[in-house]
Amino acid sequence: MHLVMIGGSDAGISAALRARELDPGADVTVVVADAYPNFSICGIPYYLSGEVARWQNLAHRTIADLEAAGMWLRLDTTARRVDVPAHKLLITPADGREELLGYDKLIVGTGAVPVRPPIGGLDGPDALGPGDGVHLLHSMGDTFAVMRTLEQAAPASAVIVGAGYIGLEMADALTVRGLAVTQMEQLPEVLPTVDPQLGALVHAELAAHGVEVLPSTTVQAVTRNTSGQPGRLHVHATAADGTAVTRAADMVLVVVGVRPDTALAAEAGATLGVKGAIAVDTAMRTNLPGVFAAGDCVVTHHRLLGQTYLPLGTTAHKQGRVAGENALGGNRQFAGSLGTQVVKIFDQAAARTGLRDHEAQPAGFDPVTIESQADDHKAYYPGSHKITMRVTGDRPTGRLLGMQLFGHKNAEIAKRVDIAATAIFNGMTVDAVSDLDLSYTPPLGSPWEAVQMGAQAWVRATQRL
Ligand SMILES: Cc1cc2nc3c(=O)[nH]c(=O)nc-3n(C[C@H](O)[C@H](O)[C@H](O)COP(=O)(O)OP(=O)(O)OC[C@H]3O[C@@H](n4cnc5c(N)ncnc54)[C@H](O)[C@@H]3O)c2cc1C
């Protein structure tokens, strides 16, 4: 059995590792467009900030580790075309010659590419690019380009276009590096994946660390600054009321989301689904015989919403593992995402899992969201922090639908959202969360865990409604 994976990031490598784990005799080849298989691109902001000293440290596993697991790595090799009936993949290694690689089963893990928004100066023959200090950020190649700008051009200021989680992590990273950062976001509040009430707390944390935050601001163009004033670039934007906003900066980072990289699969005849991602069933099968797909290039099966597109590293790992097992003839199902995610912004963290009101309503729920606060551990023990929670439940059934949290980075926000994710995954009611037997000691928690206090606040408030 010869399995071929296209893509050497979370999905492709997870698939390869699972296949080798299940069948040490399986012949597994991973075709990777660059030379950086199994790198934690989630860690890029922490290398760029200087907190992770060496880019090599971002490797989940080294090339030697991967080879020791028994996979063949074809690095700097691009998959060009899939001949589905012949079970052959056309690849071009770095030297440019074409080669046909036969496979029994193929797993497509081509991931996502960063969105290039329609901003003047980013496209066309005179487009500004890394050499001018204008960057997109997704791959290790992008990372090296940003690092070159940081080290060689020694920028004093940056404009970040976009205030999603990557934009926020980069605002933190560049501030830690000593740059003056302006963050522009076209939506009314930063971190639009949480309710604006929590977004406002994130906004305050950015401002407290000197980041100039400009929400409701749409960037129109980036140009070279020829005025002789500081800042080699000008960013031209428009505020919600139509006022022109211009900032000078030495570098510009455009991080406005990703889109699935599906050209190869689509050309081979793969059906596309939500947001143009490759349609797969929960076994990660595409419509093409012998072809599986996983990760940021595929639609996401969501436990509460059905099909959506929610590209996340945690999901890519799980889907890759399922694809690797099933490509060997297994019958594993991807159990579905809840979009659980967390981000650190300076000294605070924000997290969410499940649904917010506007997502739950179209899915047929009658959602109510109640905000409350609780201490992360007994307030009498030094170092306690308030956690702000927003619990979303379904009014008629009491089912827990979602939870959002904001609090200090040491307040276990990530693991607390995971309690909620586990409860939602298992279809629990908000009320039943209080029955969970959770741990307690005063320096680390409370007899009623904060998440349980949030659940109780929801039950109290909805009893009154
Ligand atoms: C800065 C940053 C921070 C992030 N932080 C988080 C986080 O904190 N938590 C989280 O859950 N997620 C995070 N993510 C998202 C997460 O990294 C992605 O969801 C995950 O990497 C997706 O993995 P993937 O394998 O599907 O695709 P990708 O990581 O996009 O990898 C695609 C792979 O396919 C290869 N490839 C593409 N086309 C070809 C071809 N034709 N031939 C050969 N190879 C090809 C690429 O070289 C690459 O190896 C972050 C992403 C970024 C950029």
Side-chain angles (χ1 to χ4, degrees), residues 64-374:
D65 293 338
L66 295 169
E67 287 174 344
M71 62 188 80
W72 299 102
L73 293 171
R74 299 292 308 259
L75 303 182
D76 290 317
T77 300
T78 303
R80 302 280 175 198
R81 203 164 51 244
V82 189
D83 184 341
V84 178
H87 280 223
K88 286 201 174 359
L89 183 66
L90 180 73
I91 57 173
T92 49
D95 62 15
R97 84 198 137 76
E98 294 193 335
E99 197 181 315
L100 278 176
L101 193 61
Y103 66 83
D104 295 308
K105 295 283 164 48
L106 184 70
I107 298 176
V108 180
T110 45
V113 287
V115 168
R116 291 183 84 88
I119 291 176
L122 293 191
D123 281 312
D126 295 328
L128 296 165
D132 307 289
V134 178
H135 296 269
L136 277 71
L137 185 62
H138 189 76
S139 62
M140 289 307 293
D142 299 335
T143 306
F144 299 139
V146 173
M147 199 48 132
R148 265 194 301 279
T149 294
L150 290 171
E151 289 181 345
Q152 292 170 12
S157 57
V159 168
I160 299 178
V161 183
Y165 76 92
I166 296 176
L168 298 178
E169 289 172 345
M170 285 308 301
D172 180 334
L174 294 181
T175 304
V176 166
R177 267 196 98 91
L179 278 76
V181 175
T182 298
Q183 187 133 35
M184 296 186 179
E185 165 61 54
Q186 67 177 4
L187 293 172
E189 194 45 278
V190 301
L191 195 59
T193 44
V194 298
D195 286 346
Q197 292 86 341
L198 294 196
L201 300 176
V202 174
H203 185 145
E205 178 68 1
L206 291 162
H209 285 81
V211 177
E212 183 192 25
V213 185
L214 301 176
S216 301
T217 302
T218 304
V219 176
Q220 312 290 352
V222 182
T223 57
R224 286 190 184 85
N225 178 5
T226 50
S227 68
Q229 302 296 313
R232 60 175 168 159
L233 298 160
H234 267 151
V235 179
H236 308 271
T238 314
D241 63 5
T243 332
V245 178
T246 302
R247 291 289 179 277
D250 291 321
M251 71 181 281
V252 172
L253 197 58
V254 180
V255 272
V256 296
V258 296
R259 62 175 175 78
D261 185 352
T262 59
L264 182 75
E267 204 211 347
T271 303
L272 303 183
V274 186
K275 298 247 170 108
I278 303 168
V280 286
D281 62 14
T282 51
M284 309 315 297
R285 287 191 193 89
T286 70
N287 62 308
L288 303 172
V291 182
F292 296 75
D296 283 6
C297 60
V298 303
V299 300
T300 317
H301 293 274
H302 191 287
R303 288 182 78 79
L304 301 173
L305 293 176
Q307 277 194 17
T308 181
Y309 180 63
L310 247 169
L312 282 170
T314 47
T315 308
H317 275 93
K318 294 186 188 81
Q319 293 171 333
R321 189 175 161 86
V322 169
E325 181 162 341
N326 292 345
L328 281 180
N331 189 25
R332 188 96 186 184
Q333 307 296 311
F334 172 59
S337 164
L338 288 170
T340 310
Q341 51 196 285
V342 62
V343 55
K344 180 191 88 67
I345 312 103
F346 295 105
D347 296 328
Q348 305 291 325
R352 66 161 286 177
T353 185
L355 306 181
R356 293 160 58 202
D357 285 354
H358 71 283
E359 296 155 341
Q361 267 148 8
F365 297 106
D366 179 7
V368 184
T369 295
I370 301 296
E371 182 168 318
S372 61
Q373 283 197 327

Side-chain angles (χ1 to χ4, degrees), residues 10 20 85 102 114 131 139 157 197 217 320 348 395 401 418 448:
D10 296 347
R20 287 289 306 169
S139 62
S157 57
Q197 292 86 341
T217 302
Q348 305 291 325
R395 190 191 314 250
L401 297 175
D418 291 346
W448 285 114

